[in-house]
Amino acid sequence: MKVLLSWVREFVDIDEPAEAIGRTLSLRGLALEGLEPMGDDALMDFDVTANRPDCMSMAGVAREIAVVYGLPFRAPSMRVGAAGPGAPDAGAPAPPSPLPAMPITIESPDLCARYVGAVADVTIAPSPAWMADRLSACGVRPISNVVDITNYVLLELGQPLHAFDHARLAGPAIVVRRARPGESLTTLDGRPRRLTSDMLVIADAERPSAIGGVMGGADSEVSSGTRRIVLESAWFKPQSVRATSRALALRTEASMRFERGADPTIQAVAMARACELLAQLGAGTPGPAIDVHPVPHQPTPLHLAHARVQGLLGMPVPADEVRRILAALGFEVAPAPGGWSVVAPGWRVDMHRDVDLIEEVGRHHGFEHLPATFPGVEQAPAPSDPRIARDARARKVALAAGFSEAISFAFIEARHAGPFQGDEAAVALANPLSEKFAVMRPSLVPGLVEAVSHNRRHGRRDIQLFEIGTRFSPRGEMRAIGLAWTGLATPDHWSGGRRDVDFYDMKGVVEQLASLFDVELTAHPPAAGSVAAAVLVPGRAAALTSGDRCVGWLGQLQPAIGDAHDLPASDIVYVAECDLDPLSPTGIAPARMTTPLPRFPAAVRDIAMLLDESLSAATVRGTIRSNAPATLVSVTEFDRYLGKGIPDGKVSLALRLTFQAVDRTLTDGEVEAATTAVVEVLAKKLGAVRR
Amino acid sequence: MTTMDPSVGTDRARALFDEELAGVTSAAALQDLRNRWMARSGSWVAAFMELVASAPPDQKRALGRGANTLKKHVEAALAEREAALAATRRPAGAVDITLPGRAPRLGCRHPLSLIREEIGAIFSRLGYQVLEGPEIEDDYHNFEALNMPADHPARDMQDTLYLETPLTPAAGDPPTRGLAPRAPQPLTLLRTHTSAMQIRQMERHDPPVRLVAIGPVYRRDSLDLTHTPMFHQVEGLVVGRGVTLADLKGTLLSMATALFGPGQDVRFRPSFFPYTEPSAEVDIRCIRCNGGGCPMCKRTGWLEILGSGMVHPAVFEYVGYDPDEVTGFAFGMGIERVALLKWGVEDIRLFYENDLRFLEQFGR
Ligand SMILES: [Zn+2]
């Protein structure tokens, strides 16, 4: 809200410089957003919060200044006829002109509680410079004396006015009613508007000539040829104006004030002020105002208990101070048991409860007087979201494995989301900011690949990134961890050992994550149509399950997906994603009793078996386990060799077998027999040959 | 190397020895020096001893003393240097301990994650429960129960992102109190604040309440230096008997001190939020200039950091609390804003680029 200091001074004798006023008001609820010195005047721009339409005028801001500085305020109702720029010397009022009566009918009193109308004969001309200058300074383009007067009163008092060309009104009559089916109106901006029956219109005897509280019609617009006008000063229901303004996507100075709530008591004052200005500028001769007021303003008294003021604010405010503040703001304050009975003035549409009054008292007494205290603790705090601690543990593992933490936007491009959706639909936004933020991410990996690409473009070769966050599907939200790794497996070192990241590097990290929560993951070839099959290179892709639940996937990213994120085709990127909720909803691995340390030594035997290359390690391990003696406690692959000395299609797999018994030391004979049994079962079931 | 000539006298000989010793850096050179000065025959010391032996009896005593002093000095200095050389000798199999080590690769924390964790820890210490909650919300919890019924003008304050197709919420515990629909509502929007989580908590629990809700929130704001369409928020809520605005001030002062160090001050400016009354914007004394005025605080000496207020009685009615029985305060703060201030980051978009050159500045 742009406010001219000189204009404000017509309501309050404030001598402070604009800068000081701005600083003070900022601490009292009107934040100064801008300040433009204009000679001895100044243009102040205040940020008026949505609850304070009363401050969307010179008079409203002046009232706040008066309270803050303890100065008298000249109320608009007292001011009509008082001196202002361009005011004539006090003289005799113009004799009443024999203007025709204007019939005003309010058919929808629920949407229009009051309508003040007046007819005036006018001579259209430009406004005097002082008025045009004030309007321009406040960002309103001067048009003609009559239109400028309506805008001037709006800025001065906050009451929107409208002027119709009397000659263009059929009847002539004013009918305030809901639009009828099929009605339309071309508004002042020249655009045809289709009206609906929940919209309030100001009609003549036949058709709409304005959309109530929003904008006038082009047809009845005041033009250079206008000789006689009808002036409107009305109160429209905020919700109705707001709904209409939104439906038509049409916001005006008038609609902005009506939708927040205009003062229901100021319509006649504003009309008197406009008529006064018409006469003052020699712009016209107004007839008597007709005040149709079907729903009178009936404020409800609020009870304010004095104890409640301190009870809510935590600082004492003396009774005299409470009364002084409220009275200065225009409230009627009468003593009542334990406090006061308070009636809010018409312009304070934001007063509904005692807390609203307490805020007025608090801000004008000054929040700077608040002491710094602490709320008492009545009981032990309830537990926090268990995901916080769980995610923190997962984060530690990822960080220790060399991954840096990423945070990406949760909405991504639809084309990037597609391959990660599997057979599910996208969770798309109805009103995205742009194509880049069109759908909620079905996976954390596209965002990580985008980040890898960003870092590659900025000269990085070795990149490890992870993100813990929410992924979305039509089934809802899922907390997951995503990982991406490209470049070297371990940091470059002068001692050599350079190696690029491979499948097992990434798998190892995922296994560590799972073991953190005491979960065993099983890797399977991705099913056709699954996300893993769509986004990973075949043969270097795994779907991960825990029990019979699919919890994630890992493998080498399809180059086509990297390409969509502008990654060079030669880049090999390993990616993984794991849902955290199925791994551990609580973050706490189930408590396990410890096992006593073994009392008898273990025996270790290594065997090397020649197998079909197509046999998976899981098959070999499973075969051993399902046929092994009870003394076999672990099987570990420790070498896998293909090449020289190994026939085509075969692989040499070296296994370390550990045997142990809880009740005795195993004899060499027992261990040998058990080892031989393992070799034999592999030979029999898998056709393996011991090397 | 000096020519052996005992006629120079023991004092001069001693000075020559010291000069030569100073140039010795290896064991071999030291041995050579020892031979030339200490050998039984042909050395400096031997020559002096011969001189003593052949001297007339009345000079023997004085010459003998001089020769012995020289001998002792040479012996002692050679022994000392030998020990010093031994100390610098590389043992067999020695490594170059100045080459760089084989450092395990450690990842870097994201600054927003650091602040989020820090704030969670601060409020845990103050006895708050820390909650996260869903990011896709229904209209009731994001707006209506926060005193923003349909068509409330305040809805414009937070331009909302809506889903094209509403999601069906998972069946969960229904609210046990308040005006919330008992049947789960379709999830239609991305939460514009974490306040929705506070409503959900109050609907299921009796007062007192003491919680912070942390997590991403979404608004239809274009990207610029200070805005992103997704950002992170922490919102606090304390409800109980006799909770006051002054309690909020003490709490926020304590949070500011924990986040930015001792000597903080906070300032309340009256404001408006539909869900609080009274409402206040809270500034902290500028952490850069300590209130003197600088570009970061636009010369005001204060930095706007959060919005806050006393919970609106209407909100209590929505969740089924009696506004005559309990009062409460609430505050909401942007985590990006704290990070921008704390580390002097000038472009909020950097938080979402995941550029390692940026992330690595925040330590491991
Ligand atoms: Zn500063």
Side-chain angles (χ1 to χ4, degrees):
Chain A
M1 171 73 202
K2 289 197 166 78
V3 167
L4 265 182
L5 185 55
S6 61
W7 203 343
V8 162
R9 283 195 177 127
E10 288 175 24
F11 295 89
V12 60
D13 295 320
I14 179 76
D15 294 329
E16 296 284 320
E19 205 184 349
I21 296 173
R23 213 165 35 233
T24 310
L25 288 198
S26 291
L27 292 178
R28 295 289 178 263
L30 274 180
L32 186 74
E33 297 276 277
L35 177 61
E36 204 182 308
M38 305 177 82
D40 21 330
D41 203 352
L43 186 71
M44 312 170 76
D45 193 358
F46 288 104
D47 179 20
V48 177
T49 52
N51 60 328
R52 296 298 304 277
D54 64 298
C55 285
M56 296 177 79
S57 68
M58 305 299 150
V61 171
R63 188 184 294 110
E64 285 290 314
I65 292 174
V67 180
V68 169
Y69 286 91
L71 299 168
F73 173 69
R74 290 184 284 277
S77 55
M78 313 294 288
R79 254 190 93 255
V80 174
D89 295 333
S97 62
L99 285 164
M102 188 64 176
I104 297 172
T105 317
I106 300 181
E107 287 181 5
S108 305
D110 55 330
L111 303 185
C112 175
R114 188 177 190 185
Y115 196 103
V116 180
V119 178
D121 282 339
V122 295
T123 311
I124 302 296
S127 300
W130 65 264
M131 179 176 278
D133 289 349
R134 279 191 165 180
L135 292 176
S136 303
C138 295
V140 177
R141 191 166 57 91
I143 295 168
S144 69
N145 49 8
V146 167
V147 175
D148 292 353
I149 284 169
T150 62
N151 288 328
Y152 191 87
V153 173
L154 172 134
L155 291 177
E156 183 171 274
L157 303 180
Q159 168 66 33
L161 302 181
H162 185 65
F164 298 92
D165 187 332
H166 186 272
R168 309 290 300 175
L169 296 180
I174 293 282
V175 182
V176 184
R177 59 166 171 83
R178 286 180 165 80
R180 294 186 183 128
E183 278 187 333
S184 64
L185 175 71
T186 300
T187 41
L188 284 174
D189 53 6
R191 296 180 54 181
R193 309 277 177 178
R194 191 187 303 270
L195 305 175
T196 55
S197 60
D198 51 353
M199 295 177 178
L200 186 77
V201 297
I202 315 304
D204 58 17
E206 293 163 8
R207 59 206 164 93
S209 33
I211 302 169
V214 180
M215 194 178 262
D219 191 52
S220 57
E221 182 182 5
V222 172
S223 65
S224 54
T226 301
R227 294 285 170 268
R228 179 172 287 174
I229 61 167
V230 179
L231 264 182
E232 163 195 295
S233 174
W235 187 93
F236 301 111
K237 189 179 177 185
Q239 292 82 343
S240 155
V241 173
R242 180 175 162 76
T244 303
S245 160
R246 280 175 74 99
L248 298 174
L250 183 57
R251 297 194 79 197
T252 60
E253 290 287 326
S255 74
M256 268 170 13
R257 284 169 175 80
F258 282 125
E259 73 175 36
R260 291 172 192 205
D263 177 359
T265 65
I266 203 173
Q267 283 67 37
V269 175
M271 179 60 83
R273 177 66 174 142
C275 290
E276 178 187 61
L277 286 167
L278 277 175
Q280 206 173 295
L281 266 53
T285 318
I290 301 148
D291 189 347
V292 185
H293 201 173
V295 187
H297 174 61
Q298 283 173 320
T300 320
L302 298 172
H303 183 259
L304 177 61
H306 189 202
R308 175 101 157 129
V309 176
Q310 182 165 0
L312 200 68
L313 298 177
M315 65 173 172
V317 185
D320 285 353
E321 174 78 345
V322 174
R323 216 168 28 233
R324 178 193 73 80
I325 291 166
L326 292 177
L329 284 166
F331 292 75
E332 288 170 32
V333 186
W340 303 271
S341 172
V342 181
V343 177
W347 59 84
R348 289 310 298 267
V349 295
D350 56 328
M351 292 296 130
H352 306 289
R353 297 172 181 255
D354 64 349
V355 289
D356 299 319
L357 300 171
I358 294 169
E359 174 168 69
E360 295 306 293
V361 171
R363 72 186 176 94
H364 279 296
H365 182 61
F367 285 162
E368 64 272 21
H369 298 302
L370 285 172
T373 56
F374 283 92
V377 179
E378 293 172 51
Q379 61 184 37
S384 292
D385 190 327
R387 292 181 300 178
I388 296 172
R390 178 202 63 194
D391 294 356
R393 296 185 69 202
R395 182 180 296 118
K396 269 188 198 158
V397 169
L399 290 166
F403 291 83
S404 287
E405 190 176 17
I407 294 182
S408 318
F409 289 131
F411 17 57
I412 61 176
E413 281 184 62
R415 71 185 174 105
H416 289 157
F420 292 86
Q421 282 163 217
D423 53 4
E424 290 188 304
V427 178
L429 294 179
N431 57 339
L433 201 58
S434 76
E435 286 296 302
K436 286 186 73 177
F437 307 126
V439 301
M440 301 309 288
R441 57 183 177 193
S443 158
L444 299 168
V445 170
L448 289 168
V449 173
E450 186 68 32
V452 167
S453 171
H454 171 93
N455 281 289
R456 289 288 287 128
R457 283 198 299 277
H458 291 87
R460 283 289 175 134
R461 180 196 56 187
D462 307 327
I463 299 157
Q464 282 179 271
L465 287 168
F466 80 102
E467 178 166 2
I468 295 174
T470 305
R471 63 184 195 91
F472 301 84
S473 87
R475 286 175 291 122
E477 301 178 26
M478 188 72 87
R479 188 69 61 90
I481 182 168
L483 301 129
W485 191 344
T486 188
L488 292 183
T490 54
D492 226 347
H493 194 253
W494 54 266
S495 60
R498 286 172 63 99
R499 177 173 68 72
D500 282 336
V501 58
D502 68 15
F503 182 89
Y504 300 104
D505 290 314
M506 188 58 110
K507 190 178 182 215
V509 175
V510 173
E511 283 166 347
Q512 286 286 24
L513 275 167
S515 73
L516 184 68
F517 303 116
D518 218 1
V519 168
E520 199 163 329
L521 294 182
T522 313
H524 309 273
S530 67
V531 172
V535 304
L536 301 173
V537 172
R540 293 190 175 180
L544 301 171
T545 56
S546 160
D548 52 4
R549 267 183 101 164
C550 182
V551 296
W553 43 265
L554 77 98
Q556 186 187 338
L557 187 73
Q558 280 276 12
I561 291 179
D563 185 56
H565 290 270
D566 299 325
L567 267 175
S570 58
D571 274 20
I572 290 175
V573 184
Y574 278 89
V575 290
E577 181 161 71
C578 215
D579 287 332
L580 289 168
D581 294 330
L583 282 192
S584 166
T586 62
I588 302 156
R592 260 202 316 207
M593 291 318 209
T594 55
T595 28
L597 298 183
R599 291 173 55 206
F600 301 95
V604 175
R605 292 290 182 277
D606 290 348
I607 55 171
M609 304 298 296
L610 205 59
L611 296 148
D612 280 347
E613 197 204 334
S614 60
L615 280 171
S616 73
T619 309
V620 175
R621 225 181 297 126
T623 307
I624 295 173
R625 285 211 174 281
S626 56
N627 296 279
T631 54
L632 180 70
V633 291
S634 88
V635 180
T636 329
E637 300 80 3
F638 74 93
D639 189 33
R640 190 172 189 274
Y641 177 71
L642 287 144
K644 204 170 173 227
I646 305 293
D648 266 3
K650 297 283 180 182
V651 64
S652 165
L653 187 67
L655 299 160
R656 178 155 298 163
L657 309 174
T658 307
F659 300 94
Q660 193 166 33
V662 291
D663 53 353
R664 66 189 195 283
T665 302
L666 295 173
T667 65
D668 277 355
E670 280 178 296
V671 174
E672 281 316 316
T675 306
T676 307
V678 167
V679 170
E680 278 170 3
V681 84
L682 289 177
K684 194 169 139 209
K685 303 235 164 151
L686 304 178
V689 178
R690 188 168 187 179
R691 290 182 75 214
Chain B
M1 195 187 297
T2 51
T3 318
M4 189 181 62
D5 179 11
S7 67
V8 298
T10 50
D11 286 352
R12 175 66 187 142
R14 178 181 172 138
L16 288 169
F17 171 78
D18 286 348
E19 221 170 89
E20 284 194 44
L21 181 68
V24 167
T25 54
S26 69
L30 189 72
Q31 189 53 47
D32 178 53
L33 190 69
R34 183 188 301 278
N35 289 341
R36 286 189 299 102
W37 283 83
M38 291 295 290
R40 261 179 209 285
S41 63
S43 72
W44 277 87
V45 170
F48 275 112
M49 289 306 169
E50 281 163 21
L51 213 59
V52 174
S54 61
D58 59 327
Q59 294 172 24
K60 252 190 178 65
R61 194 181 174 84
L63 283 172
R65 201 183 298 124
N68 268 325
T69 308
L70 176 68
K71 186 183 174 192
K72 276 185 186 147
H73 171 73
V74 170
E75 269 176 346
L78 286 171
E80 187 189 327
R81 177 57 55 94
E82 189 171 21
L85 283 175
T88 61
R89 197 179 302 135
R90 283 162 55 106
V95 299
D96 181 352
I97 58 171
T98 63
L99 276 170
R102 213 175 270 121
R105 199 184 275 162
L106 290 178
C108 297
R109 290 294 299 272
H110 193 286
L112 297 179
S113 163
L114 283 171
I115 297 272
R116 185 171 163 171
E117 188 174 75
E118 189 176 352
I119 291 173
I122 290 168
F123 283 100
S124 290
R125 188 164 54 76
L126 293 176
Y128 289 60
Q129 70 179 140
V130 186
L131 300 178
E132 295 193 336
E135 293 166 43
I136 298 183
E137 263 298 352
D138 59 44
D139 188 272
Y140 178 84
H141 287 94
N142 194 77
F143 288 122
E144 192 172 343
L146 286 152
N147 202 23
M148 286 183 277
D151 285 332
H152 191 285
R155 288 195 177 202
D156 290 349
M157 289 162 66
Q158 305 177 348
D159 212 346
T160 311
L161 287 160
Y162 291 94
L163 298 187
E164 205 169 68
T165 313
L167 301 189
T168 311
D173 300 341
T176 52
R177 59 196 311 154
L179 310 178
R182 290 302 185 257
Q185 299 295 293
L187 305 171
T188 54
L189 51 85
L190 302 185
R191 65 178 174 187
T192 58
H193 43 201
T194 51
S195 317
M197 190 56 218
Q198 306 183 343
I199 297 295
R200 290 183 179 278
Q201 189 70 7
M202 286 191 282
E203 279 171 351
R204 287 166 178 80
H205 300 277
D206 291 333
V209 171
R210 213 175 164 95
L211 66 86
V212 287
I214 307 188
V217 299
Y218 305 87
R219 294 187 195 169
R220 206 170 178 280
D221 284 332
S222 299
L223 282 145
D224 61 27
L225 285 177
T226 53
H227 294 89
T228 45
M230 173 178 124
F231 61 99
H232 292 77
Q233 219 186 21
V234 53
E235 290 193 300
L237 174 73
V238 172
V239 180
R241 283 175 207 280
V243 176
T244 68
L245 193 63
D247 291 340
L248 173 62
K249 184 173 179 180
T251 300
L252 295 180
L253 193 56
S254 149
M255 178 194 72
T257 305
L259 274 178
F260 299 111
Q264 298 301 320
D265 196 6
V266 296
R267 175 175 91 162
F268 281 41
R269 285 179 294 109
S271 187
F272 168 68
F273 306 107
Y275 31 87
T276 50
E277 190 78 30
S279 303
E281 300 271 4
V282 178
D283 302 337
I284 56 166
R285 166 124 349 118
C286 179
I287 53 173
R288 186 63 52 80
C289 64
N290 201 24
C294 72
M296 188 160 98
C297 58
K298 299 194 188 95
R299 315 239 158 256
T300 62
W302 295 90
L303 297 167
E304 186 178 327
I305 190 158
L306 56 81
S308 68
M310 298 303 291
V311 179
H312 199 289
V315 173
F316 284 147
E317 284 161 8
Y318 276 109
V319 299
Y321 285 7
D322 182 351
D324 293 328
E325 287 284 312
V326 293
T327 53
F329 66 66
F331 59 88
M333 179 170 73
I335 287 180
E336 280 80 352
R337 172 84 179 143
V338 176
L340 289 173
L341 296 178
K342 185 164 177 142
W343 288 301
V345 179
E346 278 167 6
D347 186 345
I348 194 172
R349 290 169 292 197
L350 280 169
F351 292 127
Y352 292 95
E353 274 178 0
N354 300 311
D355 190 316
L356 287 164
R357 295 168 302 172
F358 178 67
L359 298 179
E360 281 162 2
Q361 295 179 41
F362 298 92
R364 282 158 215 277

